[in-house]
Amino acid sequence: MMKIWVDADAVPNVIKDILFKAAQRTGVEMTLVANQFIRVPPAKNITSIQVSSGFDVADDEISKRVVENDLVITQDIPLAAEVIEKGALALSPRGELFDRENIRSRLNIRDFMDTMRASGVQTGGPPALNHTDRQNFANHLDRILAQRN
């Protein structure tokens, strides 16, 4: 049975709300992992884990617990690559499904952008989450839940 893991430190509240509704509707077990307290609805299948603060602590906890066929919600490309190696799925809050075919190029782009920022180039952040992003996320999530459960 698939379980959903949420890299909750960086997932926008609007995406958490979509996840809460989907978990309540389907009964799929979902755990939010963050280095701060995360409020979750009163449901037996939705829990949260607070880890100590520090770089990649939540990512490491998810990576340690995820198993094949689980779903991880994250925008962290290295975490997505790790869970894909374990046979799990990774979905970004913008609705991008990471897989074995696209994760390598995403890692290369991420590394290139890190190099650019380290050399002083201002790259700016991603655009704000918009309605299309939320719709893409919800549609991908619904398809994954329908296929896996």
Side-chain angles (χ1 to χ4, degrees):
M1 187 70 145
M2 178 183 69
K3 182 171 183 172
I4 299 174
W5 296 95
V6 182
D7 183 5
D9 285 321
V11 171
N13 287 333
V14 65
I15 297 301
K16 288 178 193 158
D17 290 342
I18 292 169
L19 286 163
F20 292 149
K21 288 175 186 167
Q24 289 171 320
R25 183 181 77 244
T26 63
V28 68
E29 194 175 332
M30 181 170 72
T31 302
L32 290 82
V33 182
N35 56 27
Q36 59 188 343
F37 174 76
I38 300 287
R39 185 178 312 277
V40 297
K44 290 188 293 189
N45 61 317
I46 303 173
T47 59
S48 67
I49 298 172
Q50 184 174 351
V51 297
S52 60
S53 55
F55 190 67
D56 286 341
V57 177
D59 296 352
D60 292 344
E61 188 67 24
I62 292 170
S63 183
K64 182 173 73 177
R65 293 174 179 245
V66 71
V67 297
E68 187 174 358
N69 295 321
D70 281 353
L71 171 62
V72 175
I73 309 301
T74 186
Q75 55 193 9
D76 184 275
I77 303 300
L79 175 59
E82 286 180 34
V83 303
I84 289 167
E85 282 300 313
K86 290 184 162 198
L89 294 174
L91 180 64
S92 83
R94 293 183 183 277
E96 181 180 4
L97 185 62
F98 301 115
D99 58 28
R100 291 188 187 278
E101 285 75 44
N102 67 16
I103 196 64
R104 188 68 39 216
S105 65
R106 293 301 313 244
L107 278 168
N108 290 339
I109 292 168
R110 178 197 172 274
D111 292 345
F112 173 73
M113 297 303 282
D114 280 352
T115 303
M116 296 290 288
R117 284 188 289 273
S119 67
V121 174
Q122 297 295 321
T123 58
L129 203 67
N130 62 36
H131 177 73
T132 302
D133 296 327
R134 292 190 299 269
Q135 193 63 51
N136 285 339
F137 177 82
N139 289 342
H140 260 109
L141 180 64
D142 284 346
R143 276 196 297 275
I144 291 167
L145 290 172
Q147 291 170 355
R148 297 279 172 128
N149 282 328

